Amino acid sequence: MENCDPRFEPLLEKFDTDAFELCDSTTYGLWPDFTLAYLNRAWFKFAAANGAEHEIRKRWGLGTNALLAMDEPLRGYYKTALTGCLEDGKPWGQDYVCPSATIQRKFYMRAYPLQHDRGLLVVHSRVLERTHNSPTAPAIEEFYTNDQGFIVQCMHCRLVQRCDHNDQWDMVPTWVAQRPENTTGGLCPPCFAHYFGK
């Protein structure tokens, strides 16, 4: 395996690692501290399809903490869930969306503990892909910049909060493709309920 820490390979001995390299599901291995120990080809293929392969190779290689790719409160949510998976020795799963500017995508993430608590294998399988069917809004900063000077974008569905109506969140494709520098992460009410409603 090209992108695998040699120390991690023994943890995958019961798996068909050739299948990992050939499948379309983004698959990666994590050490118990959540640093990346294995990346399959689909990891880089997905990045390339979304115009981010160079950035992914530069910033998200082996040894990088995967949790740093997300902001709070999702970082804490996933840290708790993955820690529980390691401690319980049982697989754990979560569905999530990852839209592009034009395509709505839904994935199912499944984490498998390796040799009980020595690491994790995480598989992201695409379960839905279709053109957005919700209305879109133009990227007009004055409609979305709040009193603190930030544009709040949902970390899960990527909708953007209106500053004049805090309960309204819009799909702004321009900002899904390229976030403004003054963007901060948040969770819209439905996505907050998706993660923390229970």
Side-chain angles (χ1 to χ4, degrees), residues 9 21-22 29 41 43 56 61 94 101 106 110 113 119-120 122 125 129 140 143 150 156-157 159 163 177 186 196:
E9 288 184 25
E21 292 301 307
L22 297 173
R41 290 179 188 158
W43 170 276
I56 291 293
Q94 172 72 50
K106 184 175 183 179
R110 186 84 166 160
L120 291 165
V122 183
S125 302
E129 182 170 295
I140 302 173
F143 290 171
F150 291 106
H156 183 240
C157 70
L159 295 180
C163 64
F196 299 104

Side-chain angles (χ1 to χ4, degrees), residues 28 30 81-82 85-86 89-94 108-114 119-124:
Y28 54 88
L30 297 174
L82 293 173
C85 179
L86 279 168
K90 297 177 183 175
W92 172 82
Q94 172 72 50
Y108 186 71
M109 171 186 167
R110 186 84 166 160
Y112 300 91
L114 299 173
L120 291 165
L121 183 69
V122 183
V123 180
H124 295 260

Side-chain angles (χ1 to χ4, degrees), residues 50 97-105 132 156-158 171 176:
N50 290 280
V97 295
C98 180
S100 73
T102 58
I103 304 294
Q104 179 61 28
R105 298 176 298 212
H132 284 294
H156 183 240
C157 70
R158 307 197 58 194
M171 171 54 71
V176 173

Side-chain angles (χ1 to χ4, degrees), residues 111-157:
Y112 300 91
L114 299 173
Q115 297 182 15
H116 186 64
D117 61 355
R118 293 187 56 205
L120 291 165
L121 183 69
V122 183
V123 180
H124 295 260
S125 302
R126 191 176 315 205
V127 295
L128 171 76
E129 182 170 295
R130 62 172 167 74
T131 304
H132 284 294
N133 62 3
S134 56
T136 61
I140 302 173
E141 290 205 24
E142 64 188 73
F143 290 171
Y144 299 100
T145 305
N146 63 24
D147 293 341
Q148 291 79 37
F150 291 106
I151 294 170
V152 180
Q153 186 176 54
C154 181
M155 293 178 275
H156 183 240
C157 70

